[in-house]
C-alpha cells in the first residue's frame, strides 16, 4: 500500500491518495487508486481508478473510474476503443511512467487519456531534470529528482522522486465538468495521515475497501 497526503494549501493534509499493486487471476498487473479529499469545506471528492495492464502500462487492457461529485462511473476495454485511442495511457496511470522515468531515461512521450472519456486526449511529455533540495510540508529536508509533466506543451504536474518512488508531487487535476483540484501531495504512512482526516473523508476511504485489501 502506498499512501500520499493531499493538501490544497500545501501545508495541512485534507485528504489521502491510496494506491495498491495487485495481480489478476489471469496474470495481469493491477494499479488500484483511491482518492478521498475535501477540496472545499462543503465538498468531499471521492475517486477510484483501477487499471489492469500486461507488464508495461502502455499495454493496458482495461480500466475503470468512479467519481463523486459528478456521478462518473465508467469502464473501458482497450480492444473496444476506436483505432489509435487505446495507444494512450489513462491519466491516473502516469504514476507508473513517472516511476519508470525515475529509474531510466531522460524523457517519456505519450498520449494521456481523459479517464472519464478516453477519446479526449492530450499530448504528454515527462522530462527528468535534476536532483534538487526539497523541504516536505512536515518540515523534513531531503533531496529528490524532479520530473516535470507537460500537457499539450503547457506545464502541468511535477514530481519529486527518491529511491523508493514518488516523494512529493504538485498536482493539477481537471475534470470534464470544468472543476479543478490543485495542491501538493507527499508520501506518508497511515499513522501520519489518519489524525488529519475528518470523519467523512475517512469514511470514504473505509467504504472503498482499499485500506483492508490483502
Amino acid at each position: 500500500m502506498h499512501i500520499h497526503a493531499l493538501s490544497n494549501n500545501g501545508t495541512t493534509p485534507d485528504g489521502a491518495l491510496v494506491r495498491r499493486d495487485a495481480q489478476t487471476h489471469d496474470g495481469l498487473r493491477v494499479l488500484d487508486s483511491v482518492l478521498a479529499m475535501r477540496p472545499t469545506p462543503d465538498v468531499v471528492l471521492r475517486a477510484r481508478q483501477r487499471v489492469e495492464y500486461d507488464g508495461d502500462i502502455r499495454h493496458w487492457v482495461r480500466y475503470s473510474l468512479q467519481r463523486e461529485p459528478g456521478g462518473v462511473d465508467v469502464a473501458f476495454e482497450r480492444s473496444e476503443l476506436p483505432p489509435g485511442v487505446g495507444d494512450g495511457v489513462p491519466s491516473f496511470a502516469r504514476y507508473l511512467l513517472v516511476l519508470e522515468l525515475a529509474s531510466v531515461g531522460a524523457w517519456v512521450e505519450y498520449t494521456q487519456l481523459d479517464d472519464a472519456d478516453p477519446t479526449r486526449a492530450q499530448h504528454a511529455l515527462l522530462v527528468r531534470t535534476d536532483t534538487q533540495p526539497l523541504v516536505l510540508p512536515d518540515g523534513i529536508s531531503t533531496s529528490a529528482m524532479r520530473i516535470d509533466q507537460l500537457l499539450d506543451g503547457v506545464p502541468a504536474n511535477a514530481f519529486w522522486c527518491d529511491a523508493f518512488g514518488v516523494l512529493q508531487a504538485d498536482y493539477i487535476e481537471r475534470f470534464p465538468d470544468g472543476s479543478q483540484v490543485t495542491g501538493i501531495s507527499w508520501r506518508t504512512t497511515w499513522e501520519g495521515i489518519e489524525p488529519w482526516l475528518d470523519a467523512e473523508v475517512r469514511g470514504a476511504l473505509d467504504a472503498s475497501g482499499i485500506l483492508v485489501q490483502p
Side-chain angles (χ1 to χ4, degrees):
M1 185 166 63
H2 313 278
I3 301 176
H4 273 71
L6 303 170
S7 174
N8 285 310
N9 60 25
T11 55
T12 305
D14 45 37
L17 172 60
V18 182
R19 297 185 179 98
R20 279 191 182 271
D21 302 303
Q23 196 167 22
T24 65
H25 66 278
D26 53 356
L28 294 176
R29 296 182 64 181
V30 179
L31 176 65
D32 194 7
S33 305
V34 172
L35 180 151
M37 71 178 303
R38 193 175 287 280
T40 61
D42 58 340
V43 172
V44 172
L45 173 63
R46 307 169 180 87
R48 183 170 202 150
Q49 201 259 10
R50 173 186 169 96
V51 59
E52 299 176 21
Y53 60 104
D54 188 7
D56 187 328
I57 189 56
R58 299 169 186 83
H59 303 150
W60 65 273
V61 175
R62 62 186 64 91
Y63 77 86
S64 61
L65 169 71
Q66 297 82 41
R67 185 174 78 89
E68 290 289 349
V72 178
D73 188 352
V74 294
F76 298 96
E77 296 274 347
R78 179 177 181 175
S79 60
E80 297 174 354
L81 294 179
V85 174
D87 294 334
V89 174
S91 71
F92 265 54
R94 65 171 172 258
Y95 170 75
L96 297 174
L97 294 177
V98 170
L99 296 183
E100 176 186 300
L101 185 58
S103 299
V104 61
W107 54 273
V108 173
E109 186 175 13
Y110 65 103
T111 299
Q112 179 168 288
L113 305 180
D114 184 297
D115 290 323
D117 180 3
T119 64
R120 296 162 53 104
Q122 293 175 288
H123 175 266
L125 184 67
L126 292 170
V127 181
R128 186 167 70 173
T129 57
D130 54 14
T131 299
Q132 301 177 344
L134 183 67
V135 179
L136 298 175
D138 57 12
I140 296 176
S141 296
T142 185
S143 60
M145 181 176 59
R146 177 169 176 160
I147 295 174
D148 290 311
Q149 183 191 43
L150 302 177
L151 291 175
D152 289 339
V154 178
N157 302 277
F159 307 88
W160 285 263
C161 302
D162 62 10
F164 302 100
V166 176
L167 182 60
Q168 179 175 302
D170 291 349
Y171 59 85
I172 304 174
E173 294 293 344
R174 298 182 177 91
F175 302 103
D177 62 6
S179 61
Q180 177 175 298
V181 177
T182 63
I184 294 176
S185 71
W186 63 95
R187 190 171 63 220
T188 186
T189 61
W190 179 244
E191 292 74 19
I193 187 64
E194 184 181 20
W196 294 96
L197 301 179
D198 67 42
E200 198 171 356
V201 172
R202 170 65 192 268
L205 289 171
D206 286 338
S208 75
I210 191 86
L211 298 175
V212 295
Q213 286 182 1

